[in-house]
Amino acid sequence: MKKIFNIYTSAFFGLFFVASCSPSLDEFEVRNTSTADFNKYIAIGNSLTAGFADGGLYLSGQQVAFPNLIAAQMQSVGGGTFTSPFFNANQANGSGYLRLDSLVNGRPVTAPVTDNLAIRGLNPNNQPLYTKYEGPEINNYGVPGMRLDLAFAPGVGSPLGNPYFERLLGDNDVQTTYFGYTIVRQHTFFSFWLGNNDVLGYAMNGAVGGTATTTLTDAAVFSALYNRYIDSLTTNDRKGVIATIPDVTSIPFFTTVTQPQLAAAVTEGTRGTPLETDNVLIQTKTGIRLATPEDLFFLTFPRERIEKEGLGIDPRNPIPDNMVLDRDEVAEVLARVQQYNNVIRQVAERRDLALVDVHAFLAQARTGFIYNGIPFSSSFITGNAFSLDGIHLTPIGNAVIANLFIDEINRKYNATIPRVDVTRYRGVQLPNHN
Amino acid sequence: MKRLLLGLLLASPVLVFAQGSVVNTQNQKIVGMAGAGSALFIDEASMVYSPGALAKMDHNAVQVGGNAIMFRSAFQEVGSMDTYRTRSQASTPFAAYATYAPDGAFWRAGLAVYTPFGGGVDWGNNWPGRYELNELSLRAIFIQPTVSFKITDQFSVGGGFIYNVGTVELGRVLPAFNADGSPSTARLTGTGTGTGYTLGAHYHLENEFAFSVTYRSKVVTSLNDGDAEFRVPQSIAGNFPNTKFSSELPLPSSLSVGIAFPVAEKIKMAVDGSIINYNIYEQLAFEYESDRIPNTVSEKNYQKSYTARVGVNYQAKEKLALRAGVGYIRTPVRENFVSPETPDNNRYVLSAGVTYDITPKWELNAAYAFQHILPRTTTNTAINLQGRYETYVHAPGVSVSYKW
């Protein structure tokens, strides 16, 4: 009997011992099946690739740029060191950026951050030049403002050109093109997301071209340059990921200030005057007309000028063409985005590359969805996706985009890059005072 | 900005007395048999497991007991390498009983105070489900006066009135970000009360074959005057006043049957089954007193749960009984409604227990039950969190009875 008792007690304590640990859940399996080599990943692109946010390029934005988040996740599947041209800690605010200063009657008021900047001087046009990057060879080649057409233009890296490209170049290299600068990096894997600015620069100037950064790149030119760029990056069967261009007219920069709001401001401003009216006048390429809800105004629209100067009220003072993307221009821009995306899809197909359809993804964000409990939409501030400039991503937005890229890379190349935990990242910071 | 404020509270809190928090540890003898034995054990804890059997007790008794229940859950987001575990913590359901009847009476009365639902999870501040839940502690204490009558020597019935005091405490984060990038937090605490009843019948044959049936009604617990506390950036604080909230937390009704029969001279076996009507959890509504905090309704869509349990009792010595059991519990939580509060799935129970009669008047019981809530990969409908959960529940417990 004693023996049975002993067996019983040892079984009892044995059960307790075995079970007292918690579950392990090691479902995630790192497989060595990847057909892509992540050892030297380089990221080519514009402000989105650089981590530009809140109207500026600054250290904490650079640190959460989506390629940096992807590279961190690649560490467990053979990714190498990933170096970015970070601003130094004592110049962490880089170009300066916008912060949310207050909410006045629920309306956001921003203020510029002007300390700890990395401005080393001004160019002959009185535009800032930034402290040159000094350090090891970089992997994140994102340059704010970079366009596909300008990637092939010499001189863009000169002090008269793009200061974000200029800060990456040695003094003797300023005539090199962005294309020439990036394709010689002996990469094993690349992400390439250029083309947004080829249409966005035009759209943000009310579809008034005329300068190198506001012109609308011709679709045939886009196709030729895109194919040439990707062909160069994929020599020796190197793999990569490319992405479509989002519907630039659905970002908060264009959707926050609406015609009904401006019409209300007019009603307010003209009440009791001889000019009493209830809509704004806009200058279009075909003449002056009353605005419609399909005409898009900018986030930066100077509302106060309606009342102060009669802007948009007096037929002699309509809202100028470069301050509104009217509905015909919206159609033109959307058609061009579609042409670009057709090119991008064809290239992905032809070179057998992973393709991230950011255009389709952000189309969902128009109506909004919940991502791990975080509302995610293209609403300004409350949508959590876009930063205070209404164009660039918040850290949450970057994390979501990083996961989109990771999913497509994993799918295309049978890889097992772990996903990013989006909930660790923030949206727009709200001020802690009234 | 108005839309932000509406959007923030989209996901309703997950206050449900769900399967995950059913602890069912009111009698260490029954815990030792994985929940079987309602027909077998006739003692003061029969008030809970088989109120009909109470009248068959031949002595008066008081009992106190308690458990240390540890939920150890793990979560892994789909596609992620990181596993998150709940912090180690024990919730401590207890049970206390007193029963009395005059010598030779055909009836017996008693009072039971016990914790049929209670649990706590603490996922910490840094896990991917934190926009739904960081930590939760949930407890229902039932106070149940009970009376039981013998109809014949072999057949008796009983019933009790249940008064419930429920408490809840819940913390989560909100997607409104402070200057340092950290999210806002919300904390809900409340106490509620409700009433219900239990009825049971017990029948046995001379050869010690016994049969028990017990019904426990649902207990709708109304939570009024709960406190909702928000810590948000000052600039939106006006939209998040600390306020009161109310909600209803129904505890499901259940029907349980048990049989017990001898299988050898010193060995008895018990088989129990139950239906728990979790389908009352169709949705869960929260009303906030301040009209600046939108009320929420969330779909729960639970289904009925079934349990099956088998145990054996071995009278090893005159003063020593040993027991063991296995059980299976089918989850009431459908695929897409799994929440971090109770990352539920079908589960197995394994247990062992012991009774030692220290003296004829003093009885000591100890038991240990282990539950394995099987791994489950789901997409949570409230927050779209996609991942895999697995849980171990450890429930050691002891009780002491004094008989006279």
Side-chain angles (χ1 to χ4, degrees):
Chain A
M1 196 51 64
K2 195 149 205 162
K3 195 173 159 195
I4 292 174
F5 181 69
N6 284 340
I7 290 170
Y8 206 94
T9 38
S10 31
F12 183 91
F13 288 109
L15 182 67
F16 186 86
F17 184 76
V18 167
S20 59
C21 50
S22 45
S24 57
L25 270 191
D26 37 14
E27 296 304 310
F28 191 86
E29 223 186 304
V30 175
R31 296 189 310 261
N32 286 325
T33 52
S34 174
T35 54
D37 175 0
F38 303 122
N39 181 43
K40 187 173 182 185
Y41 161 45
I42 64 168
I44 293 167
N46 49 39
S47 47
L48 295 166
T49 295
F52 193 95
D54 302 315
L57 187 67
Y58 60 104
L59 179 59
S60 63
Q62 292 179 301
Q63 287 166 335
V64 295
F66 81 87
N68 293 60
L69 302 185
I70 294 172
Q73 300 303 105
M74 281 178 174
Q75 292 299 312
S76 62
V77 291
T81 317
F82 189 85
T83 305
S84 306
F86 288 149
F87 289 111
N88 295 325
N90 61 345
Q91 301 187 331
N93 292 332
S95 66
Y97 59 96
L98 298 172
R99 63 179 177 81
L100 192 55
D101 185 58
S102 58
L103 296 173
V104 178
N105 298 325
R107 186 177 295 172
V109 176
T110 57
V113 172
T114 53
D115 61 336
N116 295 329
L117 302 185
I119 296 177
R120 70 166 204 265
L122 299 176
N123 75 0
N125 300 329
N126 279 327
Q127 296 301 310
L129 293 169
Y130 303 118
T131 308
K132 292 250 182 189
Y133 169 72
E134 286 170 10
E137 186 187 9
I138 58 175
N139 297 72
N140 187 331
Y141 288 93
V143 166
M146 187 51 66
R147 302 162 52 109
L148 185 62
D149 58 354
L150 291 182
F152 291 87
V156 172
S158 76
L160 291 168
N162 181 320
Y164 298 105
F165 188 30
E166 193 264 355
R167 75 177 273 264
L168 302 180
L169 300 176
D171 290 339
N172 300 325
D173 301 332
V174 294
Q175 289 304 316
T176 190
T177 64
Y178 183 73
F179 169 74
Y181 176 67
T182 52
I183 57 160
V184 294
R185 300 297 160 177
Q186 306 288 326
H187 63 275
T188 63
F189 191 83
F190 67 91
S191 64
F192 181 92
W193 194 15
L194 272 178
N196 304 48
N197 290 327
D198 293 76
V199 58
L200 187 62
Y202 180 72
M204 287 175 63
N205 200 40
V208 177
T211 70
T213 54
T214 58
T215 189
L216 183 64
T217 304
D218 177 78
V221 171
F222 186 93
S223 176
L225 297 180
Y226 205 96
N227 277 281
R228 184 174 163 206
Y229 214 136
I230 298 300
D231 284 349
S232 303
L233 290 172
T234 53
T235 52
N236 299 322
D237 199 28
R238 288 177 294 178
K239 315 291 191 196
V241 56
I242 62 179
T244 57
I245 314 262
D247 169 359
V248 293
T249 63
S250 70
I251 61 179
F253 184 83
F254 290 108
T255 59
T256 306
V257 175
T258 61
Q259 178 265 340
Q261 288 172 12
L262 296 187
V266 169
T267 309
E268 195 62 27
T270 61
R271 186 165 293 150
T273 74
L275 272 169
E276 194 160 338
T277 174
D278 56 2
N279 198 352
V280 281
L281 289 164
I282 60 170
Q283 173 75 54
T284 74
K285 298 202 169 54
T286 53
I288 297 169
R289 64 166 169 81
L290 287 168
T292 71
E294 288 83 49
D295 302 317
L296 302 181
F297 297 90
F298 306 158
L299 181 61
T300 50
F301 189 89
R303 252 181 249 239
E304 68 287 350
R305 285 179 56 191
I306 291 178
E307 203 172 335
K308 278 190 194 150
E309 305 170 12
L311 177 68
I313 298 174
D314 189 325
R316 290 162 301 179
N317 189 14
I319 293 174
D321 192 16
N322 67 358
M323 285 174 67
V324 55
L325 192 67
D326 70 57
R327 61 185 172 198
D328 299 325
E329 296 162 348
V330 169
E332 180 192 18
V333 162
L334 292 184
R336 189 58 55 90
V337 168
Q338 196 175 347
Q339 288 174 318
Y340 290 174
N341 283 338
N342 289 341
V343 170
I344 293 169
R345 290 193 186 95
Q346 283 159 13
V347 171
E349 178 106 21
R350 185 171 65 79
R351 301 299 311 184
D352 198 23
L353 295 172
L355 173 71
V356 182
D357 198 345
V358 181
H359 185 273
F361 179 77
L362 287 181
Q364 286 176 274
R366 259 181 186 246
T367 45
F369 51 90
I370 304 287
Y371 198 109
N372 288 3
I374 303 170
F376 190 95
S377 75
S378 48
S379 303
F380 188 48
I381 299 181
T382 62
N384 288 314
F386 291 95
S387 67
L388 287 169
D389 56 30
I391 302 163
H392 299 97
L393 300 169
T394 58
I396 287 174
N398 272 292
V400 169
I401 294 294
N403 277 343
L404 276 187
F405 274 71
I406 287 171
D407 288 348
E408 281 311 318
I409 296 168
N410 284 344
R411 190 191 340 235
K412 186 72 187 178
Y413 301 117
N414 201 17
T416 53
I417 306 170
R419 304 183 90 219
V420 176
D421 176 3
V422 173
T423 67
R424 288 184 176 246
Y425 297 88
R426 65 164 178 84
V428 172
Q429 293 143 302
L430 300 174
N432 198 22
H433 55 78
N434 286 322
Chain B
M1 287 304 284
K2 270 228 166 76
R3 267 205 282 172
L4 158 71
L5 313 164
L6 293 171
L8 276 181
L9 286 168
L10 266 182
S12 172
V14 283
L15 300 185
V16 178
F17 286 106
Q19 183 70 55
S21 55
V22 173
V23 290
N24 213 14
T25 55
Q26 288 75 253
N27 181 350
Q28 303 308 327
K29 293 176 188 171
I30 284 177
V31 174
M33 304 228 303
S38 63
L40 177 63
F41 301 109
I42 294 174
D43 61 16
E44 53 280 8
S46 293
M47 282 186 267
V48 174
Y49 288 95
S50 182
L54 184 68
K56 292 180 182 174
M57 276 180 78
D58 58 3
H59 58 269
N60 299 321
V62 293
Q63 184 192 117
V64 290
N67 288 72
I69 299 198
M70 292 156 276
F71 287 90
R72 306 298 302 276
S73 291
F75 174 79
Q76 194 171 53
E77 194 174 359
V78 164
S80 167
M81 265 203 330
D82 304 318
T83 302
Y84 298 85
R85 291 184 180 79
T86 54
R87 285 185 195 157
S88 204
Q89 66 172 40
S91 65
T92 52
F94 65 90
Y97 305 94
T99 171
Y100 175 78
D103 276 347
F106 73 99
W107 59 273
R108 176 168 289 276
L111 179 69
V113 180
Y114 59 102
T115 321
F117 298 84
V121 290
D122 181 357
W123 288 99
N125 279 324
N126 276 321
W127 83 295
R130 63 188 178 150
Y131 285 98
E132 184 166 22
L133 181 76
N134 282 353
E135 75 252 340
L136 171 77
S137 98
L138 198 61
R139 172 176 284 224
I141 297 173
F142 280 15
I143 300 164
Q144 181 192 320
T146 312
V147 63
S148 171
F149 305 94
K150 276 189 210 174
I151 309 291
T152 69
D153 274 353
Q154 287 165 340
F155 181 63
S156 58
V157 295
F161 166 79
I162 293 170
Y163 182 75
N164 172 35
V165 181
T167 59
V168 66
E169 198 176 337
L170 170 148
R172 64 196 294 202
V173 301
L174 302 174
F177 299 92
N178 293 296
D180 66 359
S182 64
S184 300
T185 60
R187 174 162 291 278
L188 301 182
T189 50
T191 304
T193 57
T195 57
Y197 62 90
T198 179
L199 293 172
H202 189 269
Y203 180 75
H204 73 273
L205 297 170
E206 293 305 334
N207 66 2
E208 298 188 80
F209 176 91
F211 178 78
S212 162
V213 57
T214 304
Y215 175 77
R216 188 158 75 196
S217 75
K218 69 175 178 183
V219 179
V220 177
T221 304
S222 305
L223 213 72
N224 296 315
D225 281 339
D227 290 304
E229 247 181 77
F230 302 98
R231 277 200 193 163
V232 298
Q234 187 62 35
S235 52
I236 57 166
N239 298 73
F240 286 91
N242 291 337
T243 184
K244 299 285 182 189
F245 73 93
S246 60
S247 185
E248 266 192 0
L249 309 179
L251 297 162
S253 60
S254 63
L255 179 69
S256 310
V257 292
I259 54 170
F261 48 90
V263 290
E265 193 189 345
K266 290 179 175 173
I267 300 177
K268 286 176 187 161
M269 192 165 181
V271 180
D272 281 59
S274 65
I275 302 171
I276 309 172
N277 299 307
Y278 276 109
N279 49 330
I280 56 168
Y281 291 136
E282 283 171 8
Q283 51 177 219
L284 196 66
F286 272 77
E287 278 177 35
Y288 294 91
E289 195 177 275
S290 165
D291 51 16
R292 284 180 238 171
I293 311 285
N295 298 333
T296 60
V297 177
S298 61
E299 297 299 314
K300 291 293 164 195
N301 231 347
Y302 278 31
Q303 56 191 354
K304 292 185 181 197
S305 165
Y306 303 92
T307 70
R309 308 158 187 277
V310 182
V312 290
N313 185 73
Y314 171 57
Q315 195 68 40
K317 289 181 176 180
E318 196 190 329
K319 291 181 165 184
L320 179 71
L322 303 173
R323 52 187 74 94
V326 296
Y328 178 77
I329 301 165
R330 180 169 174 263
T331 180
V333 184
R334 288 179 214 259
E335 195 63 41
N336 293 332
F337 294 86
V338 175
S339 77
E341 168 226 352
T342 54
D344 209 45
N345 196 7
N346 300 331
R347 60 173 90 183
Y348 289 97
V349 189
L350 275 181
S351 69
V354 58
T355 295
Y356 185 70
D357 297 317
I358 307 166
T359 71
K361 292 193 164 182
W362 288 95
E363 178 187 295
L364 178 70
N365 288 288
Y368 170 73
F370 167 70
Q371 299 191 354
H372 182 196
I373 304 179
L374 300 176
R376 193 176 202 184
T377 304
T378 76
T379 303
N380 168 311
T381 48
I383 65 169
N384 286 338
L385 178 64
Q386 205 178 13
R388 189 168 176 85
Y389 292 97
E390 186 174 9
T391 303
Y392 293 163
V393 185
H394 305 281
V398 290
S399 70
V400 179
S401 297
Y402 179 74
K403 311 177 226 183
W404 73 96

